[in-house]
Amino acid sequence: MKPIEAKNINVYYGDNHVLKDIDITIKENTVTAFIGPSGCGKSTFLRTLNRMNDYIDSFRKKGKIYIDGKDIYDKKVRVEELRRKVGMVFQKPNPFPKSIFENVAYGLKIHGIKSKYEINDTVEKSLKQAALWNEVKDKLDKPALSLSGGQQQRLCIARTLAVKPSIILMDEPASALDPISTAKIEELIFELKEKYTIVIVTHNMQQASRISDRTAFFYLGELVEYGKTSELFTNPRNKQTENYITGRFG
Amino acid sequence: MKRSGEKVIEYGLAFSGLVTILTTIGIIWVLISESWGFFREVSLADFLFDTEWTPLFTQKRYGILPLLSGTFLTTIIAIFTAVPVGIIIAVYLSEYAHKNFRQTVKPILEILAAVPTVVYGFFALTVVTPFLQSFIPGVGSFNALSAGIVMGIMIIPVISSLSEDALYSVPKSLREASYGMGATKFQTSFKVVVPAASSGILVSIILGIARAIGETMVVAIAAGQQPTLTLDPREAVETITAYIVQVSLGDVEHGSMEYKTIFAAGITLFFFTFLLNNVSFWIKKKYQEKYE
């Protein structure tokens, strides 16, 4: 199975050519890390996978992206359905200014689920999956913003899980968190890959080597090297990859 | 030399600030002292609970209720007109409109607020009232409905402009979170962005109410000058402000009872606008940037 397959992707912001001829296939139930220095295009590429760039006026794309064999930029595709299937967790925890419960229930409600039983059940399951249930089960009606940063990020993950995606995109999900919260998120990612395909953008190379199965190194809009994390980090084929992972630039 | 120049500027600035404060204190002082004279002759109970206001007739009654009902009736009609339209405009400009469109339309909308209120007044009397009469039976040539609707149109910019500011300042990350779960633009706008901006929207509505309560020309021209205790928007009513205009324009003897009624009415008006301003200030303070 190939849940994500990108063919010959070129992305432009106005005249700025930010992604060049990206070809990549991402496997099911793996964690794939995108690494590279700031501005290398890794976040932009991540955001083309759930069409989050659609709102940027100057955005243009060439090439095709297939998810579960379907061209996601096809006119017949409903972007709302796509994003339900391809969830996203952002860099800064961004819970809604609503209660903890409502944050997780939001996705269900917008997709037309009305059954109270189903909503309660899914909220509980999602919070358990995100390893947050025990910390919040007695205060589900409290504002989400009263939680700590790490808890907020796990809440955002629970919220994403609630709409039952098959792929989860994470854009530096731990970069705004302290080391303990980061460790919890990493542990969580490790557990989630049993059921989900995870793509994570990270600046932290130790993090990439700890949690990912495969790593893609982006540099100046190009996909320089892509392979098994263990090989890429111990035996990079490309000189630039080696320079980056050994900390000579970036 | 330079230092003494600085001092002059400093005193100049302090003086300017002082002038506005002293003026406010002066106004409050005049309101209180003149209405003091009024309340020595009319009991507070009569003022608050009597259902007729006839200080200009021989049979004098001093119940503020008819003026209050007139004020609130026109204000409520104005709010029901302005809030839905104002918020829809705000959501459209903030969430849907292209940046260029927003930058062009917003200032134009604010021009609505620059139209002299007397123009709105005769617009209500000569355009809106005949229009309403054409399909609602029993609408008088002076009526609360027409005045209220036009007053609502007048405060649309207050509500849309302030609400739009509130909506626009909702962090982009919240919209992204919503889109990221597969929400449509409509769902994102009304289920995430509007609730997140609710305190700012509420403040805009309260300021709109305060503006409507204090508005004078539109109601003086189009709502009539008959203090009637009624909830029927087709009837002529008189608001507090319209009454004050009516008496101020007539030849009322300084120090007479009619003269003192202006201040009693004025202090009532002041009480409500003061209250609303404080409530909006309090909401702003309490909920500001809570989601940051």
Side-chain angles (χ1 to χ4, degrees):
Chain A
M1 262 304 256
K2 295 173 189 165
I4 303 175
E5 201 178 1
K7 285 198 171 149
N8 221 356
I9 293 296
N10 281 279
V11 167
Y12 307 82
Y13 289 138
D15 295 331
N16 213 350
H17 195 172
V18 290
L19 284 175
K20 295 165 191 161
D21 299 324
I22 308 291
D23 270 296
I24 194 169
T25 301
I26 289 167
K27 290 188 174 155
E28 200 168 20
N29 295 359
T30 56
V31 176
T32 303
F34 289 176
I35 61 168
S38 300
C40 68
K42 56 193 191 302
S43 280
T44 299
F45 183 62
L46 190 78
R47 284 164 169 260
T48 56
L49 299 178
N50 67 343
R51 294 185 48 180
M52 221 46 181
N53 291 326
D54 286 15
Y55 300 105
I56 299 167
D57 286 338
S58 58
F59 172 80
R60 276 187 304 128
K61 174 208 66 92
K62 286 180 190 160
K64 294 222 184 282
I65 295 174
Y66 298 94
I67 287 182
D68 289 339
K70 273 187 215 144
D71 177 3
I72 60 165
Y73 280 85
D74 190 275
K75 283 200 177 70
K76 275 177 258 165
V77 169
R78 276 195 68 219
V79 71
E80 290 82 20
E81 276 308 310
L82 168 72
R83 293 194 187 126
R84 186 180 186 172
K85 207 162 80 180
V86 185
M88 190 163 210
V89 177
F90 298 84
Q91 187 169 0
K92 243 179 80 188
N94 54 356
F96 301 123
K98 300 173 189 276
S99 71
I100 294 169
F101 182 89
E102 285 300 326
N103 261 277
V104 186
Y106 176 76
L108 302 169
K109 289 181 179 168
I110 58 169
H111 290 295
I113 293 166
K114 292 204 173 70
S115 146
K116 258 214 167 101
Y117 171 77
E118 194 181 344
I119 291 174
N120 288 340
D121 189 55
T122 312
V123 168
E124 183 175 337
K125 275 187 189 148
S126 308
L127 285 168
K128 277 179 178 163
Q129 262 189 302
L132 190 62
W133 176 252
N134 287 331
E135 291 159 63
V136 301
K137 64 181 174 203
D138 299 322
K139 50 174 184 178
L140 291 174
D141 55 345
K142 291 270 164 7
L145 293 156
S146 65
L147 297 173
S148 73
Q151 289 173 323
Q152 287 185 15
Q153 194 63 304
R154 277 180 283 147
L155 179 67
C156 292
I157 293 174
R159 181 173 72 176
T160 305
L161 298 177
V163 294
K164 302 193 171 72
S166 57
I167 298 167
I168 302 173
L169 309 174
M170 297 185 171
D171 192 357
E172 299 187 50
S175 65
L177 305 179
D178 62 85
I180 292 170
S181 304
T182 302
K184 280 191 181 160
I185 300 277
E186 288 182 7
E187 214 175 293
L188 181 57
I189 290 170
F190 202 77
E191 285 166 19
L192 290 176
K193 80 170 179 185
E194 275 187 31
K195 287 190 177 166
Y196 306 91
T197 303
I198 295 171
V199 185
I200 178 171
V201 163
T202 177
H203 260 116
N204 182 331
M205 265 157 314
Q206 282 79 22
Q207 186 173 64
S209 67
R210 276 193 302 264
I211 60 173
S212 69
D213 302 300
R214 297 174 77 84
T215 298
F217 171 61
F218 287 78
Y219 184 58
L220 298 175
E222 284 176 49
L223 177 59
V224 176
E225 189 166 346
Y226 175 49
K228 281 194 174 146
T229 301
S230 51
E231 284 168 20
L232 189 133
F233 275 92
T234 53
N235 196 10
R237 278 167 292 166
N238 189 291
K239 190 73 190 152
Q240 278 167 334
T241 315
E242 188 184 338
N243 286 344
Y244 183 71
I245 60 175
T246 51
R248 262 172 234 153
F249 75 98
Chain B
M1 187 61 211
K2 199 182 169 210
R3 277 201 57 84
S4 66
E6 290 283 332
K7 273 272 179 264
V8 171
I9 292 170
E10 196 182 317
Y11 286 132
L13 294 175
F15 176 73
S16 315
L18 217 58
V19 167
T20 60
I21 295 170
L22 287 177
T23 312
T24 312
I25 292 173
I27 289 171
I28 296 172
W29 168 248
V30 170
L31 277 177
I32 291 174
S33 62
E34 296 286 345
S35 50
W36 181 254
F38 174 83
F39 285 112
R40 269 201 313 218
E41 290 177 48
V42 178
S43 76
L44 192 63
D46 278 348
F47 181 68
L48 293 179
F49 301 117
D50 197 328
T51 56
E52 288 202 43
W53 177 263
T54 54
L56 306 179
F57 300 146
T58 36
Q59 190 73 26
K60 292 187 194 314
R61 303 271 292 273
Y62 298 103
I64 194 78
L65 282 178
L67 293 186
L68 274 184
S69 79
T71 302
F72 284 111
L73 187 59
T74 49
T75 300
I76 286 167
I77 294 167
I79 290 305
F80 271 93
T81 311
V83 167
V85 181
I87 290 178
I88 288 168
I89 290 174
V91 169
Y92 178 73
L93 287 181
S94 160
E95 305 301 308
Y96 286 84
H98 196 267
K99 207 170 72 193
N100 297 339
F101 182 80
R102 173 175 178 268
Q103 280 167 355
T104 323
V105 167
K106 222 186 156 195
I108 293 176
L109 204 64
E110 277 157 15
I111 291 177
L112 261 185
V115 175
T117 57
V118 66
V119 176
Y120 281 107
F122 74 69
F123 174 66
L125 187 65
T126 59
V127 179
V128 178
T129 298
F131 172 68
L132 293 173
Q133 281 170 329
S134 71
F135 66 93
I136 305 174
V139 173
S141 46
F142 296 106
N143 62 83
L145 187 60
S146 166
I149 290 173
V150 170
M151 210 150 75
I153 295 170
M154 202 178 78
I155 59 177
I156 284 173
V158 175
I159 291 176
S160 66
S161 182
L162 290 174
S163 296
E164 203 267 346
D165 290 341
L167 293 168
Y168 199 69
S169 66
V170 170
K172 204 174 126 221
S173 64
L174 289 185
R175 296 184 180 86
E176 287 196 326
S178 176
Y179 291 139
M181 276 185 280
T184 61
K185 199 155 199 170
F186 186 80
Q187 289 168 328
T188 303
S189 301
F190 284 94
K191 292 188 173 164
V192 173
V193 184
V194 169
S198 57
S199 66
I201 292 173
L202 206 59
V203 166
S204 81
I205 293 172
I206 290 170
L207 291 179
I209 296 174
R211 176 85 197 276
I213 288 180
E215 168 50 31
T216 309
M217 283 322 287
V218 176
V219 284
I221 294 173
Q225 299 189 329
Q226 291 166 31
T228 344
L229 184 56
T230 178
L231 287 175
D232 184 349
R234 296 171 305 177
E235 280 187 50
V237 295
E238 181 161 49
T239 65
I240 296 176
T241 51
Y243 172 76
I244 294 172
V245 172
Q246 184 190 5
V247 176
S248 309
L249 294 180
D251 37 358
V252 173
E253 198 184 321
H254 186 92
S256 69
M257 197 55 194
E258 289 87 341
Y259 173 81
K260 286 174 191 160
T261 57
I262 304 179
F263 294 93
I267 205 165
T268 314
L269 189 63
F270 177 73
F271 171 78
F272 283 107
T273 47
F274 183 74
L275 193 74
L276 287 171
N277 272 310
N278 276 287
V279 169
S280 73
F281 186 73
W282 177 78
I283 293 175
K284 226 191 251 172
K285 228 176 155 156
K286 181 149 188 243
Y287 295 101
Q288 203 167 35
E289 317 262 303
K290 215 175 151 189
Y291 46 79
E292 282 280 291

